[in-house]
Amino acid sequence: MALSLNNLKPAPGSTHKKKRVGRGPGSGLGKTAGRGHKGQKSRSGYSSRAGFEGGQMPLQRRLPKRGFTNKFKKQWIEISLAKIDANFNAGDEITPEILHERGLIKKAKHDLVILGNGDVTKSLKVSAHRFTKTAKEKIEKAGGSISEIAKAVAADA
């Protein structure tokens, strides 16, 4: 039999009948419809607040506050030389934008640092905000060049 729109059906066992609740004692889920007896949770329109523990002091309030988060923390996107070497050809120019286009790093909103993990087998022109010492040595040893991108500093008014 040829496959066409009029004879499509799901694989056996992949679909189930919808559970019909509150349809009398014969259904097995009549009367309270699986909600137990009385109480706030049995009513229609009930919705619980996240972290609500029935009036008991919630866990997020029982635990002490510790430390703080520095919102000015410097964040880096890290990529290894092994990844760069595997995804680029000799003589290619590598910038954060190109790495993002190829899907090797997420959006280039943080500064990029090149790590010295792995080996470089071809000469590459790499531009990044920072390089580790071993990454610099390996790129230059393979005949490549590096250029550090200077991040523009906003002038204080």
Side-chain angles (χ1 to χ4, degrees):
M1 177 186 263
L3 190 67
S4 58
L5 289 176
N6 66 327
N7 59 13
L8 285 178
K9 60 173 112 147
S14 67
T15 58
H16 306 277
K17 280 189 173 177
K18 185 180 163 217
K19 185 187 280 191
R20 294 186 74 222
V21 296
R23 294 295 183 277
S27 69
L29 275 167
K31 197 184 169 208
T32 55
R35 289 175 179 254
H37 290 277
K38 300 184 183 176
Q40 190 176 18
K41 285 185 173 178
S42 71
R43 313 296 182 191
S44 68
Y46 166 79
S47 64
S48 71
R49 193 171 66 246
F52 183 66
E53 297 182 19
Q56 172 178 302
M57 186 62 69
L59 183 67
Q60 75 270 18
R61 290 192 56 202
R62 290 197 303 265
L63 297 176
K65 290 197 270 184
R66 297 279 312 251
F68 80 107
T69 303
N70 183 1
K71 63 181 181 177
F72 301 107
K73 179 183 171 191
K74 187 75 178 157
Q75 287 188 305
W76 298 93
I77 298 173
E78 299 174 342
I79 188 162
S80 66
L81 283 178
K83 255 190 181 174
I84 290 173
D85 195 55
N87 289 286
F88 290 93
N89 299 320
D92 282 356
E93 199 167 316
I94 299 157
T95 63
E97 290 76 27
I98 292 168
L99 289 169
H100 175 62
E101 283 170 20
R102 296 217 184 166
L104 295 173
I105 61 171
K106 287 190 176 176
K107 197 166 190 174
K109 67 178 179 181
H110 299 299
D111 291 355
L112 178 71
V113 59
I114 308 294
L115 305 177
N117 306 353
D119 292 311
V120 182
T121 57
K122 42 201 152 211
S123 70
L124 301 165
K125 296 178 198 133
V126 187
S127 298
H129 298 91
R130 196 163 69 90
F131 295 84
T132 61
K133 198 189 304 180
T134 54
K136 277 183 187 177
E137 290 168 5
K138 288 179 180 179
I139 292 168
E140 288 167 352
K141 189 178 174 186
S145 63
I146 63 160
S147 64
E148 289 194 20
I149 302 166
K151 195 74 168 160
V153 179
D156 293 327

